[in-house]
Amino acid sequence: MRQPPLPLALAAFCLLAACAEEAGPADFPDEARARGVDYVNRSGRPEKATILEANGAGVALFDLGGDGDLDIVFAQGLPSLDALTTGPGADLAIYENDGRGNFRRLPGPGLSGWWTGLAAGDVDNDGDTDLVAGGFGALRVLWQEDGKLVPGPDLIGLPPYDEDAALVPGRPRAAGKPPAWITSLALFDSNGDGALDLYVGQYLDLDPVDPPLGELGEGALAVPCRWKGHEVYCGPRGMRAQPDRLLWGAANGVFWDATRDALPGHQPGFTLGVLPFDADGDGDTDLFVANDSAANLMLVNEGNGRFVDHGFETGLAYSPEGMPEAGMGVASGDVDRDGFLDIALTNFSDEPTALYLGVPTGFKNATFRYGLGNETRPLLSWGVHLVDFDGDGWLELFTANGHVYPQADEPLTGTSYAQADTLWHLGPEPRARRFEPLRDDSIFAQPTSSRGSAVGDLDGDARPDLVVTRIDGPAALGMNRTGAKNHRLELVLRGPEGYPDDYRGRRTPRDAMGARVEIIMDAKDELPRLRGEVQTASGYQSASAPWLHFGFGERTGFEQIRVFWPSGATELIFAGPADRRLVIQEGQGIVERRDL
Amino acid sequence: MRALWLSLALLVGAAQVVAAQDAPVEVERAADARAERIASWREALELDLAGEVLASVAALEGGAASLSADGEALALYASALAASGQRDAARRALRSASEDTTERAAIDVALAALDLDEDRLAEVEARLAEEDGSVRAELQDAPRAWFLLGRARVRAGATGRARVPLEAFVERWPRHADAPAAWHMLAQEALERRDLERARECRERGAELGRWHAYYRTRRLQCRANPDAPEPRIGLAQLWIAAEDWNRARAELDPVLTRHPEACAAWTTLGELERKQGRLAESRAAYARAVACDPDQHVARFALGLLLVDAGEPEAARVELEALCDDEHAGSDRRFVGAHLALARVLVELGDEKSATRRYARYRELGGTEALEASR
């Protein structure tokens, strides 16, 4: 049962008052500690002797308790690789929002593992958001029940996998049996049946009992694990990639492994990032898979939940020079407002964060034309978002940065272990302009070592905020204080209630995953329309809020909103003012509106 | 006294003559040292070890300043600086080139590479191309000028204009370290033109070359990690054989055979090299040496057996092929399935139909599809 919107109204009042006082610099101050988020990531030892210890954790933003605000769940690792065998394992860390962006830690769901990636969505179509947590040897559904996360099915050993895929901290384990290593997850509807499916990104075979140290291979053919002349942890090159999986869901929490049918000819490729989005504009959801040191995949949906890789043909598989890069995280959005969704893809240092603009025939690399090659080359980036943070109608590019090798701080590497997170304006001029932090407590001011990140309006001011996990350190809450004068619109979409067993045909999921929105500001105006798509999986190992944020700049209203539901229905909403949160339900139009 | 002066004068004169005679030797030595240094810097950069180049430059008498008249060395030094995050220093180093710098083209290309790193795409075009878009006359023999011009155009979105320099690049320098990237860009250009067949061809060429370079890189890393071990160098020789560069294959192999005659795989590789060059007697000898060295050199035994068949020596061939086919492991190894057929045919030739039938049956059992009679 959804609670009455009183807390939201209160929150809105308080925040409006806060806004009035908010004459400070337009920035993203880190208010994690002040707002009660004391999560500190653990990810092995600081020297990072193995690759597991370098990849960090994800974060999920979703409404726990149905009170209309965003709560936070962090994945968590362990202090050392040894702890995997000795136990105890880590639990997820849950923080409850009081509606004003202040948080209180709740007891975890009682899991035990080394957790990495999180996915959020209404798995059982009951109207609230559930969670799927992936880890090193773990894949667990967590039901939302009465505002709590309750452990549900364990999917790690789902056939054709067996019990060796699972790793339970503290349970004795023989050498030579690497568990399934889950990285990014995506809950989305692959086959249009209204039930969420789960794409499971997997990384590589790492034997926790006998991990490779110093070199790969044996004898005279051993290759030392080195980077720029420094000894570093081994992998991913030279190690065995694990294949990804696609699990089809039945809207009741039951999943089965459909990989063989749904991903024919799938080639393992060290997956780190997964992005569901409608790449070709045909109304179904496609998948981009960012692979580390291997070709990326552009899995185009044939309309029935079966995917064919068009990575090469769309120009997304490799760098423009044909090199497989270390794809980490991925995000989409219409950067140039031409009606085609574009992609931002984070990579290793010396490999620029890539910007691919959607064109009628696929994608065209625009990294260097936007000046991102020079800007991003020293950065090793993970979480990534294309979001209009400042509300001017043009997207910004956020990247969460931090090197994997502590040895990056050695002289002459051209990079560093700690790196400040970065934000670039990408429009209206087609050239990246870096956002310069204006205050010392900005999340962009201090070099840190970030990994997962998620976007959502934490304090109810319609401005999308940032939550960033930092490896071996405290998480950051970058509270968005930019674009105070710009007008905005926040949309929350909902699919139909219930899930009839005998239903055959395309159907919108209850949480509207896959719904697309177009906003026409003024039909007479040449300014292109704004676009958005409801998806939670983006960035790296993380889930952002499903709410859509649109910046109107100086415009105070819109002429039309078009919603393209996954069921195939199109819904039109006519002229309305900005600075509102609108809840739109399929077939019923606006069912809730609230001034911001 | 006079005699002493005369003696001294003679001695000095003789010394001068000797010095004059030695001068070309010293010049030659210096040139060799420079070539060796350039090669090692180039390899270090290819292996992402820019620090080695910087350390080597620092150890030179006169340090970086000593490079001002050597355009190629200066360009490599600048590349190392850029790879270490010191692009400004790289630019300064290139500008320090003296008026009489040799290989001026290398300086221009290195500056273009820096421009490219900084997304100054128009500057790359201006630096490398004539007004009509062709590669500048003085850069015609600089492979990276062609490649970087193509790359800049691709990055600028002018894929069609990248085609000419990239096609010329892969044609003139087919095994250049940047050739896989050039093929990939040509594939993307063909895709844009909807020429799917050409795109596929370019993609396959690029992928094949890319694999080769990946192995090549790994082997060189292995050589550095184990400088005295024969295995990585044998691997390098095999890569050069695959690339049909017989001289470089031999250059890798010869020292291994001299220093490690016990490295049986080296003899197998030598057999392969000789065979590819049509030197069948030498090939046969090398294969025989490999098998004598290690009876488990199955590739050598297989090749030796086939050479003996071709040489019209069925009895000798039978011995080798039987040894291979009856081996516990090689006998069921699908890589050697042809040995069973070859043996069956030899047995037919020798009149042993019964054994031939049995060997042929085994060949079919292992998945062979050719007819026994085909060779007749």
Side-chain angles (χ1 to χ4, degrees):
Chain A
M1 176 69 78
R2 202 165 287 278
Q3 292 177 4
L6 181 62
L8 279 176
L10 276 173
F13 173 80
C14 299
L15 284 161
L16 283 172
C19 282
E21 294 168 10
E22 194 183 287
D27 207 323
F28 292 77
D30 178 7
E31 298 178 2
R33 189 156 290 277
R35 289 176 177 272
V37 175
D38 58 359
Y39 167 86
V40 177
N41 172 257
R42 289 188 301 273
S43 193
R45 299 188 197 283
E47 59 269 26
K48 307 299 171 203
T50 66
I51 192 168
L52 176 65
E53 298 167 83
N55 284 9
V59 56
L61 300 184
F62 63 102
D63 182 359
L64 198 57
D67 53 0
D69 58 29
L70 292 174
D71 307 287
I72 309 175
V73 176
F74 293 100
Q76 182 60 292
L78 292 171
S80 71
L81 207 64
D82 298 339
L84 281 169
T85 42
T86 59
D91 198 359
L92 303 181
I94 304 175
Y95 290 85
E96 182 188 44
N97 193 338
D98 68 355
R100 290 173 289 180
N102 297 313
F103 293 86
R104 176 175 72 99
R105 179 138 188 194
L106 298 180
L111 301 183
S112 174
W114 183 314
W115 302 100
T116 54
L118 301 171
D122 189 354
V123 172
D124 52 3
N125 261 310
D126 65 351
D128 54 30
T129 304
D130 310 299
L131 193 71
V132 179
F136 188 63
L139 181 61
R140 200 73 187 262
V141 177
L142 293 135
W143 305 126
Q144 182 171 165
E145 290 177 8
D146 301 325
K148 293 191 171 65
L149 287 175
V150 178
D154 189 347
L155 303 176
I156 193 71
L158 214 57
Y161 276 59
D162 59 23
E163 59 185 19
D164 287 341
L167 184 147
V168 182
R171 187 179 293 175
R173 188 176 186 90
K177 292 182 176 175
W181 179 350
I182 315 300
T183 54
S184 281
L185 299 163
L187 278 168
F188 72 113
D189 185 5
S190 72
N191 46 14
D193 64 355
L196 294 187
D197 309 306
L198 180 65
Y199 191 90
V200 183
Q202 295 194 197
Y203 200 43
L204 53 77
D205 281 353
L206 177 75
D207 184 350
V209 179
D210 185 21
L213 297 171
E215 63 181 26
L216 289 168
E218 288 174 2
L221 295 181
V223 180
C225 303
R226 286 180 170 269
W227 168 78
K228 298 201 176 197
H230 303 290
E231 190 174 318
V232 294
Y233 67 71
C234 297
R237 285 200 175 97
M239 297 177 82
R240 183 181 296 172
Q242 292 184 352
D244 296 341
R245 286 186 279 172
L246 180 55
L247 311 183
W248 279 346
N252 56 2
V254 174
F255 287 93
W256 67 96
D257 194 317
T259 309
R260 202 158 66 171
D261 290 337
L263 302 174
H266 170 68
Q267 294 291 318
F270 306 111
T271 294
L272 284 179
V274 179
L275 175 76
F277 74 118
D278 186 2
D280 51 9
D282 64 354
D284 58 30
T285 304
D286 311 295
L287 280 165
F288 180 83
V289 179
N291 284 331
D292 186 0
S293 310
N296 301 310
L297 308 178
M298 181 61 251
L299 298 172
V300 175
N301 195 333
E302 295 190 310
N304 53 5
R306 291 174 174 82
F307 294 82
V308 175
D309 178 31
H310 288 280
F312 176 74
E313 294 84 349
T314 53
L316 294 170
Y318 302 101
S319 76
E321 285 86 22
M323 298 294 123
E325 295 188 312
M328 302 286 188
V330 58
S332 71
D334 188 1
V335 170
D336 53 358
R337 293 176 66 173
D338 66 346
F340 296 99
L341 284 177
D342 312 311
I343 288 179
L345 171 66
T346 50
N347 285 310
F348 209 78
S349 57
D350 292 326
E351 297 173 352
T353 289
L355 177 65
Y356 294 94
L357 298 181
V359 294
T361 53
F363 292 86
K364 204 164 170 70
N365 191 297
T367 308
F368 307 99
R369 277 176 283 155
Y370 271 72
L372 284 167
N374 188 40
E375 284 279 318
T376 65
R377 189 166 282 108
L379 303 175
L380 194 167
S381 306
W382 305 79
V384 55
H385 304 283
L386 285 168
V387 171
D388 183 5
F389 287 101
D390 61 7
D392 68 349
W394 296 91
L395 300 185
E396 278 82 44
L397 167 64
F398 165 84
T399 65
N401 310 318
H403 214 282
V404 290
Y405 303 134
Q407 295 83 347
D409 285 337
E410 297 287 328
L412 306 178
T413 64
T415 184
S416 57
Y417 186 62
Q419 303 173 355
D421 295 334
T422 40
L423 188 75
W424 290 274
H425 303 279
L426 297 180
E429 295 303 316
R431 192 80 184 170
R433 284 178 298 118
R434 193 167 188 156
F435 172 84
E436 296 298 339
L438 301 170
R439 42 196 297 171
D440 290 344
D441 62 350
S442 167
I443 62 165
F444 300 110
Q446 303 301 329
T448 57
S449 206
S450 298
R451 294 295 186 268
S453 60
V455 173
D457 176 11
L458 298 175
D459 51 4
D461 65 353
R463 288 183 275 190
D465 307 300
L466 278 157
V467 183
V468 187
T469 69
R470 266 96 188 240
I471 197 162
D472 302 326
L477 253 58
M479 302 306 292
N480 187 350
R481 301 277 181 262
T482 64
K485 291 180 181 168
N486 286 331
H487 299 281
R488 301 166 188 264
L489 190 70
E490 196 169 273
L491 296 184
V492 179
L493 303 190
R494 290 185 189 152
E497 293 180 8
Y499 193 83
D501 289 341
D502 58 349
Y503 187 83
R504 296 285 179 271
R506 299 193 73 82
R507 186 175 174 84
T508 301
R510 181 82 181 267
D511 57 9
M513 208 80 91
R516 290 172 300 138
V517 171
E518 239 179 51
I519 296 182
I520 299 167
M521 316 289 282
D522 184 345
K524 294 188 290 293
D525 197 338
E526 285 186 359
L527 191 66
R529 38 196 79 173
L530 301 173
R531 285 179 171 77
E533 181 173 338
V534 179
Q535 297 290 353
T536 57
S538 77
Y540 169 69
Q541 292 191 160
S542 298
S544 288
W547 308 342
L548 300 177
H549 294 274
F550 296 98
F552 283 19
E554 294 176 354
R555 291 170 184 268
T556 55
F558 59 89
E559 191 160 289
Q560 193 179 93
I561 298 175
R562 295 178 182 174
V563 183
F564 303 95
W565 299 101
S567 64
T570 302
E571 198 150 344
L572 305 180
I573 311 284
F574 292 101
D579 302 317
R580 283 182 167 192
R581 174 196 272 192
L582 303 178
V583 180
I584 301 172
Q585 180 135 13
E586 183 173 7
Q588 297 179 34
I590 299 171
V591 295
E592 277 179 44
R593 54 171 61 83
R594 181 170 64 82
D595 288 338
L596 295 166
Chain B
M1 179 62 84
R2 206 175 146 190
L4 180 63
W5 276 113
L6 187 60
S7 302
L8 278 172
L10 283 172
L11 274 172
V12 169
Q16 281 170 342
V17 168
V18 170
Q21 282 171 345
D22 280 353
V25 176
E26 277 174 22
V27 169
E28 209 171 289
R29 272 187 202 144
D32 284 351
R34 177 196 172 272
E36 201 175 308
R37 195 163 58 228
I38 292 283
S40 86
W41 289 1
R42 200 179 295 284
E43 178 174 274
L45 288 170
E46 284 175 11
L47 297 177
D48 200 17
L49 297 167
E52 280 191 11
V53 178
L54 299 181
S56 169
V57 171
L60 287 175
E61 192 179 333
S66 69
L67 304 176
S68 65
D70 187 340
E72 194 178 7
L74 209 47
L76 292 171
Y77 173 54
S79 296
L81 287 168
S84 312
Q86 303 176 79
R87 273 183 276 174
D88 288 342
R91 223 173 257 285
R92 279 198 302 276
L94 291 169
R95 288 194 186 120
S96 75
S98 60
E99 285 298 312
D100 58 345
T101 294
T102 57
E103 312 222 25
R104 185 82 223 175
I107 300 279
D108 288 342
V109 172
L111 283 167
L114 286 174
D115 288 337
L116 200 58
D117 273 356
E118 292 166 6
D119 299 340
R120 299 173 202 259
L121 305 179
E123 279 90 334
V124 179
E125 182 81 26
R127 208 180 281 282
L128 300 180
E130 305 281 7
E131 279 186 10
D132 65 1
S134 61
V135 171
R136 269 174 43 202
E138 59 272 36
L139 302 178
Q140 292 280 320
D141 292 326
R144 278 183 60 80
W146 296 79
F147 174 72
L148 293 178
L149 184 59
R151 174 183 265 185
R153 289 175 178 173
V154 167
R155 289 186 176 186
T159 317
R161 293 186 61 236
R163 183 175 166 187
V164 170
L166 290 175
E167 282 186 340
F169 172 71
V170 294
E171 190 183 329
R172 290 182 61 185
W173 297 280
R175 202 151 292 270
H176 193 281
D178 290 321
W183 280 112
H184 178 82
M185 289 186 273
L186 286 168
Q188 294 298 319
E189 188 274 336
L191 274 178
E192 280 192 16
R193 285 187 287 113
R194 297 278 201 276
D195 185 347
L196 299 183
E197 196 175 326
R198 173 68 175 161
R200 199 172 300 117
E201 181 199 344
C202 293
R203 179 190 184 180
E204 283 166 10
R205 294 287 293 274
E208 185 189 331
L209 258 181
R211 279 192 295 275
W212 188 92
H213 276 288
Y215 281 120
Y216 183 54
R217 186 177 196 280
T218 303
R219 292 294 184 223
R220 285 187 293 170
L221 287 170
Q222 290 166 335
C223 285
R224 279 168 169 259
N226 297 286
D228 295 326
E231 290 90 340
R233 296 216 174 269
I234 294 170
L236 277 175
Q238 287 166 346
L239 283 168
W240 286 120
I241 289 171
E244 299 187 352
D245 189 331
W246 318 127
N247 290 337
R248 294 187 77 166
R250 197 170 292 277
E252 295 293 347
L253 210 46
D254 282 349
V256 175
L257 292 166
T258 306
R259 285 201 293 268
H260 297 281
E262 79 287 356
C264 308
W267 296 105
T268 299
T269 306
L270 178 64
E272 181 75 353
L273 175 60
E274 302 286 18
R275 189 177 63 80
K276 292 267 187 182
Q277 293 183 268
R279 296 149 54 100
L280 299 184
E282 288 83 352
S283 172
R284 193 170 140 175
Y287 282 137
R289 175 103 188 238
V291 172
C293 174
D294 173 12
D296 287 340
Q297 287 292 313
H298 302 308
V299 171
R301 195 183 290 281
F302 185 21
L304 179 59
L306 294 180
L307 282 177
L308 290 167
V309 170
D310 288 345
E313 298 179 41
E315 273 297 355
R318 175 185 182 159
V319 172
E320 300 302 338
L321 292 170
E322 272 182 352
L324 184 67
C325 293
D326 293 339
D327 183 87
E328 187 185 349
H329 302 293
S332 53
D333 188 333
R334 290 178 59 86
R335 288 179 302 163
F336 306 119
V337 64
H340 297 270
L341 179 65
L343 177 57
R345 286 172 176 168
V346 163
L347 290 167
V348 169
E349 197 177 337
L350 293 171
D352 187 350
E353 294 283 347
K354 190 176 167 190
S355 298
T357 303
R358 185 167 58 83
R359 295 291 184 179
Y360 183 68
R362 178 65 177 148
Y363 165 72
R364 296 299 296 250
E365 194 181 307
L366 289 170
T369 56
E370 280 187 50
L372 177 59
E373 309 295 323
S375 66
R376 291 181 175 180

